[in-house]
């Protein structure tokens, strides 16, 4: 991979295993949106970044070389996805899923933002999840800049959400999740260091801790562990993963916890990567709703 800078942009050439649609549409993040020109714009920490792709060339706009380390970490650029694919490519099903979502990368997202985002995601559709997060950011976040005619804001701090009234959070269309968000913010302020150390805990320790929050069940906890806490050995089971697993791997009546155990035994330390390939493959092809012809 070759790195170059031109004006207020970073250009990466000869990038392998990287596809914008696969990365941003595989269910792991909610603050990236597709532009009319096919690029994606999103917020990482306090930076508004636009990303374009031309074959194996990736262009990061509105960000200078002094922030390359942020990009490298966030987009997991140092990880060898060829090795990961080889490890999880254990059968014809996974082979097809990997070929379909070949450009997926698991983003390294902030723990606090990921916790609240996936609490909002429970029993919710992606457009609504994005809307609630956007509403919260506009109301409680800090203004960053106007980019391409749109104002962008940081994700709200735990202090700001803890201090907000329940009615203010409800105004953001959070619904029944509003009191849970407020409680989580207040608790996070007291246990911030503990939350940011979950990546150093065992999987079971991290899972138990996260599930002690109201509004965080097994699936949401596993998503948080995978997408922000570097526990790549977990296998979150949502409706699409359940469908693809029951359709192609296990009995139709297999429970979620048993699906997760089956997958973790099968894919080991790379279970989270396998989950992403299977999730994207199942959702885009309607696996369990209609089989791909």
């Amino acid at each position: 991979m070759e790195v170059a800078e031109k004006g207020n942009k970073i250009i990466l050439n000869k990038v392998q295993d990287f596809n914008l649609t696969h990365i941003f549409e595989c269910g792991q993040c909610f603050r990236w949106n597709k532009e009319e020109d096919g690029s994606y714009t999103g917020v990482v920490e306090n930076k508004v970044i636009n990303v374009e792709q031309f074959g194996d060339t990736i262009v990061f706009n509105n960000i200078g070389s002094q922030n390359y380390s942020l990009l490298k970490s966030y987009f997991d650029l140092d990880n060898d996805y060829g090795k990961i694919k080889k490890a999880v490519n254990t059968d014809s099903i996974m082979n097809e899923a990997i070929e379909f979502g070949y450009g997926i990368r698991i983003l390294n997202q902030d723990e606090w933002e990921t916790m609240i985002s996936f609490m909002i995601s429970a029993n919710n559709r992606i457009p609504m999840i994005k809307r609630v997060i956007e509403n919260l950011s506009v109301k409680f976040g800090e203004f960053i800049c106007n980019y391409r005619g749109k104002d962008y804001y940081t994700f709200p701090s735990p202090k700001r959400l803890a201090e907000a009234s329940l009615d203010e959070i409800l105004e953001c269309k959070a619904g029944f999740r509003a009191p849970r968000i407020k409680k989580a913010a207040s608790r996070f302020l007291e246990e911030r260091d503990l939350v940011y150390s979950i990546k150093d805990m065992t999987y079971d320790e991290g899972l138990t801790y996260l599930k002690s929050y109201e509004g965080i069940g097994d699936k949401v906890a596993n998503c948080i562990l995978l997408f922000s806490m570097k526990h790549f050995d977990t296998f979150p089971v949502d409706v699409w993963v359940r469908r693809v697993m029951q359709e192609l791997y296990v009995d139709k009546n297999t429970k979620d916890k048993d699906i997760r155990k089956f997958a973790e035994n099968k894919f080991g330390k790379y279970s989270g990567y396998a989950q992403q390939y299977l999730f994207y493959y199942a959702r885009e092809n309607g696996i369990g709703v209609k089989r791909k012809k």
Side-chain angles (χ1 to χ4, degrees), residues 89-238:
N89 193 359
T90 57
D91 53 55
S92 60
I93 298 167
M94 277 303 306
N95 183 66
E96 190 167 346
I98 290 169
E99 287 185 355
F100 187 82
Y102 65 88
I104 289 174
R105 284 177 171 267
I106 294 183
L107 302 172
N108 289 314
Q109 301 179 76
D110 175 70
E111 288 90 332
W112 159 247
E113 180 173 342
T114 306
M115 281 181 65
I116 298 302
S117 295
F118 277 91
M119 286 176 67
I120 293 168
S121 78
N123 301 311
N124 211 350
R125 295 178 297 109
I126 288 179
M128 285 303 300
I129 300 166
K130 287 189 169 189
R131 192 173 307 163
V132 175
I133 293 171
E134 178 70 10
N135 291 342
L136 289 169
S137 298
V138 170
K139 191 172 186 66
F140 301 112
E142 299 292 330
F143 176 73
I144 302 173
C145 69
N146 181 283
Y147 184 75
R148 291 189 173 186
K150 180 182 177 180
D151 290 341
Y152 286 87
Y153 298 80
T154 62
F155 190 81
S157 68
K159 184 174 186 295
R160 187 70 183 86
L161 285 180
E163 293 174 346
S165 70
L166 187 57
D167 285 341
E168 286 178 312
I169 299 176
L170 283 167
E171 288 172 4
C172 297
K173 309 299 182 184
F176 68 88
R177 303 166 188 85
R180 298 175 178 179
I181 291 170
K182 184 172 172 60
K183 288 179 183 177
S186 297
R187 181 175 170 185
F188 186 91
L189 287 175
E190 299 177 356
E191 302 178 6
R192 178 191 299 268
D193 291 343
L194 180 58
V195 174
Y196 280 100
S197 70
I198 289 177
K199 60 173 61 73
D200 300 317
M201 296 181 185
T202 67
Y203 164 75
D204 287 332
E205 289 170 342
L207 185 70
T208 299
Y209 172 79
L210 288 173
K211 288 174 67 175
S212 69
Y213 277 76
E214 183 180 353
I216 297 182
D218 194 77
K219 179 257 181 178
V220 168
N222 278 288
C223 285
I224 297 167
L225 288 167
L226 175 59
F227 299 133
S228 69
M229 296 175 176
K230 297 184 180 298
H231 282 275
F232 301 115
D233 52 347
T234 186
F235 191 88
V237 179
D238 74 340

Side-chain angles (χ1 to χ4, degrees), residues 6-58:
K6 184 178 180 181
N8 195 30
K9 62 177 64 177
I10 296 172
I11 303 169
L12 305 183
N13 294 304
K14 300 181 180 179
V15 182
Q16 297 181 334
D17 308 309
F18 194 111
N19 181 280
L20 297 182
T21 301
H22 298 173
I23 292 169
F24 297 132
E25 305 291 350
C26 67
Q28 65 175 318
C29 57
F30 305 108
R31 296 205 73 192
W32 288 90
N33 294 295
K34 193 172 187 177
E35 305 281 5
E36 290 184 1
D37 63 3
S39 66
Y40 282 80
T41 304
V43 178
V44 182
E45 296 182 3
N46 63 343
K47 304 286 187 299
V48 176
I49 305 171
N50 173 266
V51 192
E52 301 175 280
Q53 182 164 9
F54 308 95
D56 64 358
T57 296
I58 314 298

